[in-house]
Amino acid sequence: MPSALSPSAVRRLRGSLDEQLSALGEAPFEGGDEAAVAACAEAVLRADEPLRTAVKAAVRGSLAVLADRAPGHSLEVRVPPYGAVQAVEGPRHTRGTPPGVVETDPLTWLRVATGRLSWEQAVSGHLVRASGARSDLSGRLPLWPVPPPGGAGRAARH
C-alpha cells in the first residue's frame, strides 16, 4: 500500500474501483493495494463516462505512489481538484510556491501515470504545465509497466 494512503483511503479506492468495474461490466478487483491503484486508473480511462469517485480515487492513489517512489519536497505535483503531493529530492520549501510545480487535469494525469500518454507528449501538447529545475518527470513516469499492444488482457490485470 502506498504509505501516503490511509487504510480508509485504500478502502474508498477499492470501493470506487469495484463500482467503476461494475459500470464497465467487469468483475470486482482481487489484487493487492498498489495494483488496485493501477487498475482503478485503467478502469477510469476505459470508461466512456468515468465515475467521479473512481477518478478521485485513481488520482489520489497514483499521486501517493509517485510520492512513495520519489520522496522529497522540491516539486509539487497538482491535479486539481483531487489532490497534490510534494515529491522529488531537493531543496525543501516551507512557504509559498515550491521551487518546482507540475499541474494538469485528472484524466491527463492518469494517462501519463499509466503510460497511455508520454510525459514529452503531455508537456509539448501543453496538457501539463511544468516549471522548475526538478519538474521533468519523464524518468519517473509511467508509474507501472505499460502492457504491450494486444498483450495482457483484462483478466490478467484483475
Side-chain angles (χ1 to χ4, degrees):
M1 164 173 63
S3 62
L5 288 180
S6 67
S8 62
V10 171
R11 281 192 300 277
R12 285 191 302 273
L13 173 112
R14 286 179 163 281
S16 296
L17 168 58
D18 286 344
E19 284 180 49
Q20 185 67 71
L21 290 173
S22 176
L24 290 168
E26 298 177 24
F29 184 77
E30 300 292 333
D33 291 338
E34 186 172 322
V37 175
C40 191
E42 288 291 341
V44 163
L45 294 173
R46 286 196 316 271
D48 291 332
E49 293 186 36
L51 301 174
R52 180 176 164 83
T53 57
V55 175
K56 180 179 178 179
V59 166
R60 288 185 174 180
S62 57
L63 287 172
V65 170
L66 175 67
D68 273 1
R69 294 186 185 173
H73 297 280
S74 69
L75 179 68
E76 186 165 288
V77 181
R78 301 172 181 166
V79 184
Y82 298 122
V85 294
Q86 291 186 6
V88 183
E89 285 186 29
R92 180 183 181 99
H93 81 283
T94 56
R95 299 176 69 157
T97 302
V101 175
V102 168
E103 187 167 337
T104 190
D105 66 275
L107 294 179
T108 298
W109 168 251
L110 294 176
R111 287 182 188 107
V112 172
T114 60
R116 289 181 177 222
L117 179 66
S118 76
W119 175 257
E120 293 79 10
Q121 290 170 319
V123 171
S124 68
H126 306 286
L127 300 171
V128 169
R129 289 173 302 287
S131 64
R134 292 174 174 82
S135 66
D136 181 359
L137 293 176
S138 61
R140 302 179 191 283
L141 298 171
L143 294 173
W144 302 281
V146 179
R154 289 181 186 159
R157 291 190 301 239
H158 297 318

